[in-house]
């Protein structure tokens, strides 16, 4: 049994949690708002990509 899909899924879940955390934090300036939006979006995009790839590896039986 290969643990790659499990590790990718764990990293995806951690990234999604981090993205949601970044989105929910208050910002003090307008620049901080945009910075948090960009960082949160990138973390959630990473979570979606890794999660989808982990699911694909697991469903194809490659791992």
């Amino acid at each position: 049994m290969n643990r790659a899909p499990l590790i990718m899924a764990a990293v995806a879940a951690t990234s999604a949690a981090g993205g949601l955390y970044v989105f929910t934090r208050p910002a003090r300036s307008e620049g901080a708002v945009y910075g948090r939006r960009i960082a949160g979006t990138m973390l959630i995009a990473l979570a979606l990509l890794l999660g989808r790839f982990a699911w694909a590896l697991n469903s194809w039986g490659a791992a």
Side-chain angles (χ1 to χ4, degrees), residues 11 18-20 30 36 39-41 49 54:
V11 172
L20 291 175
E30 188 175 340
R36 288 182 190 268
T41 301
L49 289 171

Side-chain angles (χ1 to χ4, degrees), residues 5-32:
L6 182 61
I7 292 170
M8 277 194 274
V11 172
T14 304
S15 177
L20 291 175
Y21 177 79
V22 168
F23 271 134
T24 59
R25 300 286 37 141
R28 295 185 182 190
S29 68
E30 188 175 340

Side-chain angles (χ1 to χ4, degrees), residues 18-62:
L20 291 175
Y21 177 79
V22 168
F23 271 134
T24 59
R25 300 286 37 141
R28 295 185 182 190
S29 68
E30 188 175 340
V33 170
Y34 291 119
R36 288 182 190 268
R37 285 181 186 170
I38 291 168
T41 301
M42 295 303 289
L43 285 170
I44 290 175
L46 175 67
L48 290 174
L49 289 171
L50 281 179
R52 177 67 185 225
F53 191 61
W55 175 80
L57 279 177
N58 193 32
S59 68
W60 294 339

